[in-house]
Amino acid sequence: MPRDGAPTPNSIDSRLDPTGEVNPVHANGNVNGSGQHNGLSASLPTYLTHRLRLNPNSDHQPDNYEDLQLDFSPTVFSSLEKYLPPNLIVQTRDVKVNYMRDILLRYYPESERIRFQKHREYRQKIISNYQRLHRDLYTMSAGNFFVPSFIRAIGENTEQGFRNIMSEPSPGIFTFEMLQPRFCEMLLTEVENFEKWVNETKFRIMRPNTINKFGVVLDDFGMETMLDKLMEDFIRPMSKLLFSEIGGSTLDAHHGFVLEYGMNRDVDLSFHVDDSEVTLNVCLGKQFSGGELFFRGVRCEKHVNTETQSEEIFDYSHVPGRAVLHRGRHRHGARATTAGNRVNLLLWCRSSVFRELRKYQKDFSSWCAECQREKRERQRQSVAATKLELLRRERHSVS
């Protein structure tokens, strides 16, 4: 079971049904036509009587579980709902919750469940006490957030439409105008207001990652639903076309945060890969010098520390409102911000399906540059060996 999403085929293979049909299991195998068993009414759907679909129903719009007090993240339930069989997916939310909870209790590690419960309590404490400055930020409003060209491209939802607004200065790195200046300013002041509240109340907050000492997790003070919409309705359509080989069409979880660089903040960011399949990075401002991103090629876990090839070297200078979209496994870092302050919005988008499938793969040549080089070398050696064998046979036949 992956940490950030729904169960997938390999994690629950003993209960999967490719057709998504009901597969009743009874003590003596007898079920009458009315759905009764041994004269008793059929019970509610359970893990033992209904199998999950092998593939998700991508057209289904799952229920929202944010308002329920659950043992697991609401996004896990929303993701898992797409795998429910046809006759269960139309049931009431309560019926679906009970069914999915039964599965999750069997397969979700207890340590993860405890971690989620503690994090939920932490978030609830913040949300209950923090007074929002710009309430409009907490609900997706495309017309107020994004520039018109970006909205048009999303509406067209074609690869050509996306490429019309993008540049690809280096393979797999896409840049485009995205955020309106007013949205950038509102988010900046909201973050400043939150940090002011943190300092005044001496509330100890969790930072976005283990590398940065400054910055805030936007999900933790109420923006999770808005960022979910950002991922599902805007980033996933692009990723489906641009990053299909790494689960771009099945992004189902995110980690959204803001990082701050400059005076009395983080200065730079060391060389690393993100814990994401697809990363969105948008500069919000302010006035600054330096802080360029440097990219050094896409690598799988096995090859993450291999040498950089000359064609993989690319540096990018931030522009407020302009986005960078790239694979999470694209190695990168940030140079020192030498003057002023730079603030960036980041959205790490993850696919539980891709992460589960990746566990059973050894060849990542569809996206890892080093795997590609090794594959080409094996092919070259194979061709060379074949040629030598043909020459040997030819000489033998002549002699």
Side-chain angles (χ1 to χ4, degrees):
M1 167 67 65
R3 184 173 69 182
D4 295 303
T8 54
N10 288 309
S11 62
I12 47 177
D13 55 356
S14 63
R15 290 293 163 190
L16 287 171
D17 182 355
T19 65
E21 295 301 320
V22 180
N23 185 23
V25 179
H26 301 287
N28 59 13
N30 296 322
V31 183
N32 63 31
S34 64
Q36 295 181 328
H37 173 58
N38 291 338
L40 299 175
S41 297
S43 60
L44 290 173
T46 69
Y47 168 79
L48 295 175
T49 62
H50 291 65
R51 290 185 176 182
L52 293 174
R53 298 166 58 98
L54 179 60
N55 297 304
N57 181 348
S58 56
D59 296 327
H60 174 67
Q61 185 63 38
D63 283 327
N64 188 311
Y65 297 91
E66 296 286 343
D67 60 314
L68 300 180
Q69 292 295 314
L70 302 167
D71 299 320
F72 311 94
S73 169
T75 58
V76 172
F77 283 89
S78 295
S79 297
L80 182 55
E81 184 177 325
K82 294 185 177 183
Y83 289 86
L84 298 184
N87 58 341
L88 183 54
I89 208 168
V90 297
Q91 295 294 323
T92 65
R93 189 174 67 160
D94 288 343
V95 171
K96 289 185 285 191
V97 164
N98 288 331
Y99 172 79
M100 291 188 287
R101 185 174 181 275
D102 182 40
I103 291 177
L104 292 169
L105 286 172
R106 292 172 182 267
Y107 288 97
Y108 217 76
E110 184 177 1
S111 59
E112 285 298 308
R113 191 161 72 249
I114 294 172
R115 183 191 65 83
F116 167 73
Q117 290 172 342
K118 289 183 177 179
H119 198 187
R120 182 177 62 186
E121 293 170 0
Y122 161 80
R123 282 186 176 179
Q124 190 56 48
K125 187 177 294 185
I126 293 176
I127 293 171
S128 299
N129 292 280
Y130 171 63
Q131 297 297 314
R132 299 173 179 179
L133 182 63
H134 300 295
R135 294 189 177 276
D136 291 345
L137 286 175
Y138 294 79
T139 303
M140 174 55 67
S141 177
N144 293 323
F145 291 4
F146 308 126
V147 297
S149 59
F150 179 71
I151 296 175
R152 283 196 300 271
I154 293 295
E156 292 177 16
N157 195 25
T158 64
E159 182 171 359
Q160 188 57 51
F162 291 134
R163 290 190 179 275
N164 285 341
I165 66 166
M166 294 177 170
S167 64
E168 189 179 5
S170 185
I173 300 172
F174 301 92
T175 69
F176 50 94
E177 296 295 330
M178 182 179 180
L179 298 179
Q180 293 186 21
R182 183 173 180 274
F183 173 84
C184 293
E185 181 60 31
M186 287 174 63
L187 187 53
L188 283 170
T189 55
E190 186 72 42
V191 169
E192 290 173 358
N193 188 62
F194 176 69
E195 291 183 325
K196 179 182 177 183
W197 173 81
V198 168
N199 291 329
E200 289 176 349
T201 60
K202 301 189 184 308
F203 191 93
R204 186 175 180 180
I205 63 171
M206 299 178 187
R207 296 301 177 182
N209 53 56
T210 57
I211 302 176
N212 293 90
K213 296 179 181 179
F214 296 90
V216 297
V217 179
L218 300 176
D219 299 308
D220 286 348
F221 62 96
M223 293 192 184
E224 183 177 21
T225 300
M226 184 274 284
L227 293 175
D228 257 338
K229 293 289 288 183
L230 172 58
M231 179 189 69
E232 293 174 359
D233 296 346
F234 299 92
I235 305 306
R236 190 162 62 196
M238 292 191 293
S239 299
K240 179 180 180 179
L241 296 171
L242 302 174
F243 303 117
S244 59
E245 77 286 355
I246 55 168
S249 63
T250 56
L251 300 177
D252 56 9
H254 77 266
H255 177 47
F257 53 98
V258 163
L259 295 179
E260 303 170 78
Y261 297 89
M263 185 69 69
N264 300 320
R265 292 291 185 266
D266 290 313
V267 176
D268 55 16
L269 185 60
S270 59
F271 195 48
H272 67 285
V273 293
D274 296 337
D275 183 13
S276 69
E277 274 59 73
V278 177
T279 292
L280 173 74
N281 187 341
V282 194
C283 181
L284 300 175
K286 308 174 182 178
Q287 298 294 321
F288 61 90
S289 298
E292 299 87 358
L293 286 178
F294 58 93
F295 290 91
R296 297 296 184 264
V298 183
R299 297 290 189 275
C300 65
E301 190 65 33
K302 176 184 176 182
H303 296 123
V304 70
N305 292 316
T306 55
E307 291 185 9
T308 300
Q309 305 300 313
S310 59
E311 66 272 14
E312 296 177 316
I313 297 175
F314 173 69
D315 287 15
Y316 171 79
S317 297
H318 288 289
V319 178
R322 190 168 182 83
V324 183
L325 193 70
H326 61 85
R327 294 174 180 85
R329 299 294 309 185
H330 206 136
R331 302 180 300 177
H332 62 284
R335 302 193 189 284
T337 298
T338 54
N341 291 93
R342 176 173 65 85
V343 184
N344 281 58
L345 164 66
L346 287 102
L347 191 70
W348 287 356
C349 303
R350 298 160 175 162
S351 167
S352 58
V353 173
F354 175 75
R355 292 186 174 210
E356 189 68 17
L357 294 175
R358 192 175 61 187
K359 295 177 183 178
Y360 305 93
Q361 293 178 313
K362 295 182 179 180
D363 177 25
F364 303 105
S365 57
S366 64
W367 53 271
C368 171
E370 195 62 29
C371 284
Q372 292 169 3
R373 276 186 280 276
E374 289 184 352
K375 186 175 183 178
R376 287 195 298 268
E377 179 59 22
R378 289 194 300 270
Q379 291 172 340
R380 187 194 66 78
Q381 292 178 0
S382 177
V383 169
T386 301
K387 287 181 178 179
L388 286 174
E389 178 62 19
L390 290 174
L391 285 173
R392 187 190 67 78
R393 292 181 181 181
E394 184 177 346
R395 290 169 183 167
H396 180 73
S397 62
V398 171
S399 61

